[in-house]
Structure formats: C-alpha cells, structure tokens
C-alpha cells in the first residue's frame, strides 16, 4: 500500500534563539518527525490506525532494497550459502509481504509468504519476521489473545544462538511480550524498571573483569567506538593553535585510553615550553573507574614528560553537573567531549536543556558530540518500531559478519547487553520509563544551533585517520563512513549507525 501524498505530520520548527531551552521548544525539536519518503496527513494517519494497519510505511521505507528485483545477495550464512539475504533485506521482504496480506483483507497466517527463488533459511526468516510484525500490530490494537498466540510461535522459531534474523526476532518478540505485559498490568512486569545504564548494570551483576572482557571484544571487532573516540581526539588537536593550558572535560570517560593519544600527540607536536599543562576533568558515576582512569593517564603523561592533572567529578546522573564543578581557569583552552551522553537526557527535555546550558556557560572552544544515528524517539509506536527494527537489523548483520561463531557466549552477551536491553526499553516502555531515545543528526543540528553553538568541519586529517582505522577491521569494505553536512557518519553497508559532530560557541568571551 502506498500512502497518499499530503503535507507531512510535522517538521522541524524554527524557534527564536532567545530561549531555546524552554521545555516546549526542546520537546518539539527532539520529538518531531521527519520521514521524507512518507507524507501523510493527521487525518489519514488516524484512518490508518482505524484500519488496524499501522505499518504502512514499510512500502516506502528509505534505503532498503527490493527483493523482488534482480539483487546480489551478500551476507554468507554459517553453512556457506553465499547468496543469503541480509537481515535487513529479510525484514524488507517480510514488510512487503505483510502489506500484501493486508491488501487481501487483513492479517491471516494462512496468507502465502513465499518469495520465488529464496532458499529455506531466508524463507523461514521472512515468516518469522512476519510473526513479529503481526504480534506488534496486535498489541498496538490491544488484541492480546491473538498477540499471545503469535508470540508463542515467535518463541519457538527465534533463538539467541540462531542466524541474525532469529536473534533479532528473539529480542523484538521479547520486547513486544513485555509491552503487552505492561499494558495489561501483568504481575510479571508490574513496577519492573529497565535501567538505561546497561553497561554499569551488567558490570555490577557479572563483575569488573567480565565487563572489561566484553568491552575488549567490542573494541576488537567493531570499529564504531574506537573510531569515534580517536576522531574526537583528532578534532581537538586540529582546533589547537598555540595554547599553553589545555582543559579537556570528558562527560563519559570510560577507560580513558583515547586520551593517551592526545597526550602522546601533544608531546610530539609541541615543545615543553609551548604546552604548559594538560588537565582532564572526568565526569562519571563510578568512583573506582574514575580513579583507575586518572592513575593510568597520570602515569602515561609522566612517561611522555607532559605536565598533567586529573580531576574527577562523581555524579549519580549526568544532569547533576553544575558550572562551578569544573574549575575552568582564565586562559585555558576548553574542550568538551560528550560520547553518546545527550541521548540519555532525551526523555526529559528540561534536563537536556539545562545540561547543555551548563556546557554553553563553560564557553568551550570545542564541543565534540557522538550520538546514535537513528530516529527512535517518535511518540507513535508504529513509526518507532519500524525504525528500531531496521536499525538493529543492520547491527545484527554486522555482528554476524565480524563474529561468525553463533555459539560464542561473548557475542551472545554483547547482543543481550548492548542491543537487546535497548530494544527492550524502546519497544516495551512509554513515557518516562522509555529512557533509550535517539534522534538523527538533523535534529541534533537544529537543537545545537538554537542552543548557541555553531557547527565546525572535520579536517582532512581527521577524515583520513577515520578511514585508515576502519581498514584495520575484518570486513572493512562493509563499514561505511560518509559526511552528513559537516558531521561524520559511520555505519554498515550504507546504513548510518553512529554520528560524530564538532561544535563551538557562537560567541567566544575572554576568560
């Protein structure tokens, strides 16, 4: 079904610059929707919901191949089948078939889902995906008995140890089951919270060493975190001129290993007389982590003969930061690093606005922000469900390629902690309970500009370094890096998954 033409439901509003942090302004900016391929009026949307067909946007979902054309399949399966459909292509095919089923008079499991020419594994994947779509549809329309029967089927055919589509559907069907339980006030889910801080939660449950092992696995096979971290360092280096005192404020330092490259570069780039001092202020929720990072960086700076100091700010949550905690001194070059932290505040626009306002008052020379590149914050469940489904289908394709052993327990745990928990929160929860929210770069760009920042370009050196780093990974040809305006997007086979951007205050003041 092709949605009729008409004015979009909403677009990015243009608010005046005088007070960008008013709650309604921030909320409108960060919960607006922008689907360029789906134009539908509010009246038509209501009719779609009345017709119990919320997933009409499958028909024109952007950047997904059409399996009914002559298509070169790409991702190999464990049994050596070289022409396997990717997880994303299977979802697209299932969506197409689902739309045909509705065109025939409504959902019916007896509707033929056969796609000519597909082998059994891909055909099974389409049928499983169809079950997941239908169960989400039934829960959306409060048809819980039918949803329960469909989810029982999903449990049989999905698996944490299966192929990518079986693993993906395992987590999505579980999230739909929980959504239904929350809507029906099931005792199983009553009062149950899903913490947004999955990493710290996992660490506390399984111990520091196992958590470190999981982080090491992630870094060794996936380039996203490493590329974003070290490109952020390069952007800071590119912004330096002849500053003698440098103050880096890291809002999510983790292990802090990325700053060793900054220390080393400063020791090579500048003479001891030109770089007087480097100070790193780290914000975190775990005192031991902050202390460990500080010790490692202090020892490394000493070995590199760089004057260095490390300050830690322990907070229970990011929104507790205040301007006077950072001890910014006159004459310091201030750089703020925000690695996927602003998204954690999207559930409350006031907190997000206040936090960014604190950063603006610090008057940084440069702000580096990395975020998930996904439109996963729509208040309309159907839109959000489809966006999240396609995003993670690409991620599970990527994991299949870089970690082909499907029985690898570390892979299973990584998918559970870093993918499954976030899927669960975005699909099962609403309101303040839905803490995992992502918006695309276009929305962040509008927000930061109205917050008093101007976007900066990455240097040729930063682009070259990022591309060079990607080449070091297995399946390097499938990782993609491309510009989004002045921002840098990295993804898998053309679907952007993460974005890095650089900002400066529009008006710099003397300190």
């Amino acid at each position: 079904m092709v949605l009729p033409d008409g004015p979009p439901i909403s677009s990015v509003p243009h608010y005046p610059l005088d007070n960008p942090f008013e709650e309604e302004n921030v909320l409108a900016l960060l919960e607006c929707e922008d689907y360029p391929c789906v134009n539908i009026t509010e009246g038509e949307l209501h009719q779609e919901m009345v017709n119990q067909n919320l997933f009409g946007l499958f028909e024109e979902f952007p950047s997904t191949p059409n399996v009914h054309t002559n298509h070169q399949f790409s991702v190999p399966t464990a049994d050596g089948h070289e022409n396997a459909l990717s997880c994303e292509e299977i979802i697209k095919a299932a969506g197409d078939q689902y739309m045909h089923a509705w065109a025939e008079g409504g959902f019916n499991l007896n509707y033929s889902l056969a796609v000519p020419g597909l082998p059994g594994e891909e055909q099974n994947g389409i049928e499983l995906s169809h079950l997941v779509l239908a169960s989400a549809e039934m829960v959306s329309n409060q048809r819980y008995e039918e949803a329960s029967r469909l989810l029982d089927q999903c449990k049989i055919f999905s698996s944490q140890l299966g192929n990518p589509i079986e693993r993906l559907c395992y987590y999505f069907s579980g999230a739909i089951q929980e959504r239904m339980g929350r809507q029906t006030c099931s005792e199983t889910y009553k009062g149950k919270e899903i913490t947004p801080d999955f990493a710290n939660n996992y660490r506390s449950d399984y111990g520091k060493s196992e958590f470190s092992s999981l982080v090491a696995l992630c870094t060794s096979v996936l380039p996203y975190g490493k590329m974003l971290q070290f490109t952020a360092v390069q952007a800071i280096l590119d912004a330096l001129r002849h500053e003698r005192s440098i103050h880096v404020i890291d809002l999510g330092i983790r292990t802090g290993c990325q700053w060793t490259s900054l220390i080393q570069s400063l020791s090579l780039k500048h003479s001891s007389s030109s770089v007087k001092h480097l100070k790193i202020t780290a914000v975190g929720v775990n005192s031991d982590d902050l202390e460990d990072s500080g010790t490692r960086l202090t020892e490394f700076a000493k070995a590199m003969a760089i004057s260095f100091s490390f300050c830690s700010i322990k907070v229970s949550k990011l929104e507790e930061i205040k301007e006077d905690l950072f001890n910014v001194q006159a004459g310091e070059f201030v750089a703020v690093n925000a690695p996927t932290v602003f998204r954690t505040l999207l559930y409350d626009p006031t907190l997000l606005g206040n936090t960014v306002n604190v950063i603006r008052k610090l008057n940084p020379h440069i702000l580096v922000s990395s975020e998930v590149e996904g439109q996963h914050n729509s208040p309309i469940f159907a839109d959000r469900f489809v966006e999240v489904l396609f995003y993670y289908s690409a991620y599970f394709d990527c994991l299949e390629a870089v970690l082909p052993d499907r029985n690898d327990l570390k892979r299973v745990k990584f998918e559970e902690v870093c993918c499954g928990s976030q899927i669960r929160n975005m699909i099962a929860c609403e309101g303040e309970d839905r803490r995992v929210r992502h918006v695309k770069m276009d929305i962040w760009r509008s927000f930061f500009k109205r917050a008093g920042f101007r976007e900066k370009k990455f240097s040729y050196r930063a682009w070259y370094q990022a591309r060079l780093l990607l080449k070091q990974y297995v399946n390097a040809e499938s990782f993609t890096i491309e510009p989004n305006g002045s921002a840098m997007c990295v993804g898998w086979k053309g679907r952007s998954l993460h974005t890095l951007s650089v900002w400066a205050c529009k008006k710099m003041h003397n300190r």
Side-chain angles (χ1 to χ4, degrees), residues 288-303:
D288 291 339
D289 283 349
L290 293 173
E291 184 178 342
D292 290 346
S293 298
T295 300
R296 283 192 296 269
L297 291 172
T298 300
E299 291 176 353
F300 188 79
K302 184 177 180 180

Side-chain angles (χ1 to χ4, degrees), residues 173-226:
S173 60
I176 296 166
Q177 181 80 53
E178 178 158 349
R179 183 179 181 86
M180 181 171 66
R182 287 171 175 269
Q183 289 180 355
T184 57
C185 298
S186 167
E187 290 294 330
T188 305
Y189 302 106
K190 189 175 292 184
K192 186 176 181 180
E193 295 182 359
I194 304 178
T195 173
D197 199 346
F198 309 110
N200 280 332
N201 191 47
Y202 175 80
R203 173 182 168 150
S204 63
D205 290 342
Y206 293 92
K208 186 174 181 179
S209 61
E210 188 169 345
F211 175 72
S212 299
S213 177
L214 194 66
V215 172
L217 172 72
C218 173
T219 304
S220 64
V221 300
L222 293 174
Y224 305 123
K226 196 171 185 179

